[in-house]
Amino acid sequence: VVIGCDGVNSIIANMVGLHQTKLLRFSTCVARGFTKYPNGHQFPSEFAVISRGQVQLGRIPMTHKLVYWFVTRLSTSQEV
């Protein structure tokens, strides 16, 4: 058993042949989270997405009090 915290830069990582990962650039930005409704929500039990131009809003109820949501948009060339 080997325990360490240096990641791919450690001596052990070099011994077993791990290599640094490459950063991938995606053309989409995403914000996502959960919203808790202490008294419950009125959303139907279905996945909903609204698209306008290059922006998407979506949600899916997880329980009668918890909803997962997300917002996506295309990155501009200055952000990539």
Side-chain angles (χ1 to χ4, degrees), residues 1-3 7-20:
V1 175
V2 176
I3 299 174
V8 295
N9 296 318
S10 72
I11 293 171
I12 301 300
N14 290 333
M15 287 176 27
V16 296
L18 295 179
H19 304 286
Q20 272 190 316

Side-chain angles (χ1 to χ4, degrees), residues 45-75:
S45 296
E46 61 188 29
F47 181 67
V49 177
I50 300 169
S51 296
R52 291 283 192 262
Q54 297 178 350
V55 177
Q56 284 187 321
L57 307 171
R59 71 160 192 274
I60 185 165
M62 305 305 289
T63 67
H64 71 286
K65 291 186 176 187
L66 186 66
V67 175
Y68 170 79
W69 58 266
F70 66 89
V71 178
T72 68
R73 70 172 178 84
L74 292 180
S75 298

